[in-house]
């Protein structure tokens, strides 16, 4: 029997420099997609996959994330006094159960691998999930739930992947695959971070969702600095691949990289269109905008 995936790590210590000045005082994870902050979509995905405990790896000036997942006494008292039952129910729906979240600090921006290593004592000796909060995934079934279903059959380590255009592969981590181990899942033989144009082993990029075994922490503790002078998670994953199986899952759904402006705006449109009332007003406006001449460069 494979140990169940009970815990997930969300690294939220990034500075969000691509969204300045908006992120000067507001964490990028708290920027909103329609009516929810980005981080809420990621947490909802984890909870839909059966995750029982979420570890947020934070940095300075990220206390608002912790506040978001806490009780807001003044707000809730006001809503009760005004008989705003629907709003109260919405707040309660998205509030984690007591004791189901932990917050630990990454004191210096030393990379994704270092951020994950900071959660080692909370995760302990059990497999866990990683969800990068820049990426939200629109799917009928939680992407992480799809990954957990594969993990329950195969064990080992699982990475979510999706197709990208061939001429974009140099922008992402790309996997090389071998035989199929489950439906839409294949054994990974190699991972290449941002391969040079024309050298990528496939057009499948790593999407920001992982299930990893706890041995990754020992490797991260010994991992030297890699690209950008940071401790890279991919480097330790490659080392772990020499000892344990890795599989990819080509999940059903679509990801939106909210760490860049185009992905952020696209996600707002995509999720906004899910609301019939918003779509009714949004579609005519989009048609009007699209029909106008493009702005001069």
């Amino acid at each position: 029997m494979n140990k169940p995936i009970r815990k997930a790590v969300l690294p939220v210590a990034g500075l969000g420099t691509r969204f300045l000045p908006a992120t000067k005082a507001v964490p990028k994870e708290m920027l909103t997609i329609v009516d929810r902050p980005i981080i809420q979509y990621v947490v909802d995905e984890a909870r839909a996959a059966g995750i029982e405990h979420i570890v947020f790896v934070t940095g300075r000036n990220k206390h608002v994330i912790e506040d978001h997942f806490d009780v807001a006494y003044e707000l809730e008292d006001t809503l009760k006094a005004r008989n705003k039952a629907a709003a109260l129910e919405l707040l309660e729906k998205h509030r984690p159960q007591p004791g189901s979240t932990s917050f630990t600090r990454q004191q210096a921006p030393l990379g994704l691998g270092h951020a994950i290593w900071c959660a080692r004592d909370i995760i302990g000796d059990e497999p866990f999930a990683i969800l990068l909060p820049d990426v939200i995934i629109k799917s009928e079934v939680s992407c992480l739930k799809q990954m957990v279903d594969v993990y329950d059959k195969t064990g080992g380590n699982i990475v979510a992947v999706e197709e990208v255009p061939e001429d974009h592969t140099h922008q992402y981590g790309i996997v090389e695959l071998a035989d199929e181990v489950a439906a839409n899942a294949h054994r990974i033989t190699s991972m290449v971070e941002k391969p040079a144009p024309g050298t990528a082993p496939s057009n499948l990029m790593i999407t920001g969702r992982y299930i990893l075994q706890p041995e990754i922490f020992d490797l991260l503790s010994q991992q030297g600095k890699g690209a950008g002078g940071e401790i890279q998670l991919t480097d330790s994953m490659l080392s772990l691949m020499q000892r344990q199986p890795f599989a990819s899952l080509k999940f059903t759904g679509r990801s939106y990289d909210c760490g860049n402006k185009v992905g952020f705006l696209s996600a707002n449109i995509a999720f906004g269109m899910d609301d019939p009332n918003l779509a009714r007003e949004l579609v005519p406006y989009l048609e009007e905008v699209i029909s106008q001449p493009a702005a001069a460069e």
Side-chain angles (χ1 to χ4, degrees):
M1 291 287 293
N2 300 315
K3 287 185 177 181
I5 307 301
R6 300 175 47 250
K7 299 177 182 178
V9 178
L10 275 62
V12 294
L15 298 176
T17 53
R18 285 183 286 183
F19 280 89
L20 286 170
T23 50
K24 179 181 178 181
V26 178
K28 63 178 179 177
E29 297 85 4
M30 292 300 295
L31 299 178
T32 56
I33 302 298
V34 187
D35 57 359
R36 283 188 282 167
I38 295 169
I39 192 67
Q40 185 69 66
Y41 287 88
V42 181
V43 168
D44 289 347
E45 178 188 336
R47 292 173 66 185
I51 294 298
E52 301 171 11
H53 194 108
I54 296 176
V55 183
F56 297 88
V57 181
T58 69
R60 284 180 290 278
N61 301 320
K62 297 293 183 111
H63 62 274
V64 68
I65 297 176
E66 188 168 355
D67 292 342
H68 175 72
F69 291 105
D70 199 357
V71 174
Y73 290 105
E74 297 85 352
L75 173 60
E76 295 186 16
D77 283 346
T78 300
L79 292 174
K80 288 175 183 176
R82 296 178 181 178
N83 294 317
K84 299 288 187 180
L88 276 169
E89 183 180 351
L90 184 63
L91 291 178
E92 292 172 359
K93 174 184 176 183
H94 291 296
R95 184 190 306 136
Q97 293 296 313
S100 65
T101 57
S102 295
F103 294 80
T104 189
R105 181 67 66 91
Q106 183 187 26
Q107 288 91 347
L110 296 178
L112 175 60
H114 181 261
I116 301 306
W117 179 79
C118 288
R120 65 197 182 282
D121 288 337
I122 305 173
I123 296 299
D125 187 24
E126 60 182 284
F128 66 102
I130 300 171
L131 298 91
L132 301 191
D134 282 352
V135 178
I136 61 175
I137 296 177
K138 192 171 187 290
S139 58
E140 290 188 8
V141 177
S142 158
C143 174
L144 185 59
K145 175 64 168 65
Q146 297 177 51
M147 296 173 67
V148 169
D149 289 344
V150 171
Y151 168 83
D152 287 342
K153 297 175 182 176
T154 66
N157 304 270
I158 313 291
V159 178
V161 299
E162 64 182 325
E163 292 184 354
V164 293
E166 298 282 355
D167 57 348
H168 288 183
T169 54
H170 66 284
Q171 302 175 22
Y172 304 101
I174 302 296
V175 297
E176 182 176 7
L177 304 181
D179 49 299
E180 189 173 54
V181 295
N184 296 319
H186 291 75
R187 181 169 58 88
I188 298 176
T189 57
S190 182
M191 290 177 282
V192 184
E193 190 66 34
K194 297 182 179 179
T199 67
S202 74
N203 70 332
L204 294 171
M205 75 166 186
I206 300 172
T207 310
R209 299 292 187 269
Y210 314 80
I211 290 175
L212 297 178
Q213 296 296 320
E215 287 79 8
I216 194 74
F217 291 121
D218 288 337
L219 294 170
L220 287 169
S221 69
Q222 304 166 25
Q223 185 68 57
K225 294 181 179 179
E230 298 180 338
I231 298 172
Q232 299 293 340
L233 179 63
T234 303
D235 292 340
S236 289
M237 288 169 60
L238 286 168
S239 297
L240 187 59
M241 192 182 298
Q242 306 305 312
R243 314 176 190 180
Q244 297 180 358
F246 270 73
S248 70
L249 171 66
K250 189 177 177 183
F251 64 92
T252 301
R254 177 173 178 176
S255 72
Y256 294 88
D257 182 359
C258 296
N260 69 69
K261 294 173 184 177
V262 172
F264 175 76
L265 293 171
S266 299
N268 266 289
I269 294 171
F271 283 89
M273 291 294 290
D274 281 345
D275 184 322
N277 294 323
L278 287 177
R280 192 176 299 114
E281 298 185 40
L282 187 57
V283 168
Y285 176 71
L286 291 174
E287 291 175 343
E288 178 185 342
V289 170
I290 292 171
S291 67
Q292 295 175 356
E297 295 185 0

